[in-house]
């Protein structure tokens, strides 16, 4: 196991309805397989965060992914709308390989706690 795999073994899948899943990840995992699609395209969010989208989501009639759009707005200006499930991973090394590095535990938790849980309507504790 390489040090990259040991320190960055996660990815976060976000569905259009806001449901998200923390998944195990290695740089050899095929992004298209994880998204259950034929062709996945990377969208660079930052130097350490990549969002992967299904190139054929619109022709297949997949729903608009509002939660992913809200995460993108936190990191950068609005981009085009994205449809279907998306996958957040770490950086991509386009020169070295076509794989995506995983997210560290801290990156995954920041993405989930800082951005995705805000999208859910979670009841807050009431005080009298």
């Amino acid at each position: 196991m390489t040090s990259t795999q040991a320190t960055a073994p996660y990815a976060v899948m976000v569905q259009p309805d806001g449901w998200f899943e923390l998944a195990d990840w290695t740089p050899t995992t095929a992004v298209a397989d994880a998204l259950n699609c034929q062709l996945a395209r990377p969208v660079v969010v930052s130097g350490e965060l990549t969002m992967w989208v299904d190139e054929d989501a619109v022709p297949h009639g997949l729903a608009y992914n509002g939660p992913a759009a809200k995460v993108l707005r936190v990191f950068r200006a609005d981009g085009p709308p994205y449809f279907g499930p998306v996958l957040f991973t770490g950086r991509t090394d386009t020169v070295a390989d076509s794989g995506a590095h995983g997210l560290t535990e801290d990156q995954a938790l920041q993405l989930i706690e800082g951005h995705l849980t805000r999208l859910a309507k979670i009841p807050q504790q009431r005080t009298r």
Side-chain angles (χ1 to χ4, degrees), residues 28-116:
T28 58
T29 304
V31 176
D33 289 345
L35 283 173
N36 195 27
C37 68
Q38 294 295 315
L39 183 61
R41 178 173 57 88
V43 176
V44 177
V45 178
S46 73
E48 298 298 318
L49 184 65
T50 304
M51 181 180 80
W52 295 85
V53 298
D54 178 353
E55 276 291 312
D56 297 323
V58 173
H60 288 145
L62 299 180
Y64 170 70
N65 196 322
K70 289 179 181 178
V71 170
L72 286 178
R73 273 184 284 222
V74 170
F75 287 97
R76 62 183 178 90
D78 292 330
Y82 296 105
F83 295 82
V86 301
L87 183 74
F88 287 95
T89 66
R91 73 183 192 281
T92 56
D93 289 336
T94 55
V95 175
D97 59 20
S98 59
H101 292 274
L103 297 168
T104 64
E105 184 176 346
D106 288 344
Q107 289 172 316
L109 290 174
Q110 180 185 12
L111 184 63
I112 292 169
E113 293 174 357
H115 308 297
L116 295 173

Side-chain angles (χ1 to χ4, degrees), residues 122-128:
I122 300 172
Q124 300 296 318
Q125 182 179 0
R126 295 183 205 176
T127 58
R128 292 185 176 222

Side-chain angles (χ1 to χ4, degrees), residues 14 18 66-68 70-71 115-121:
V14 179
K70 289 179 181 178
V71 170
H115 308 297
L116 295 173
T117 55
R118 282 191 222 165
L119 304 175
K121 302 286 187 218

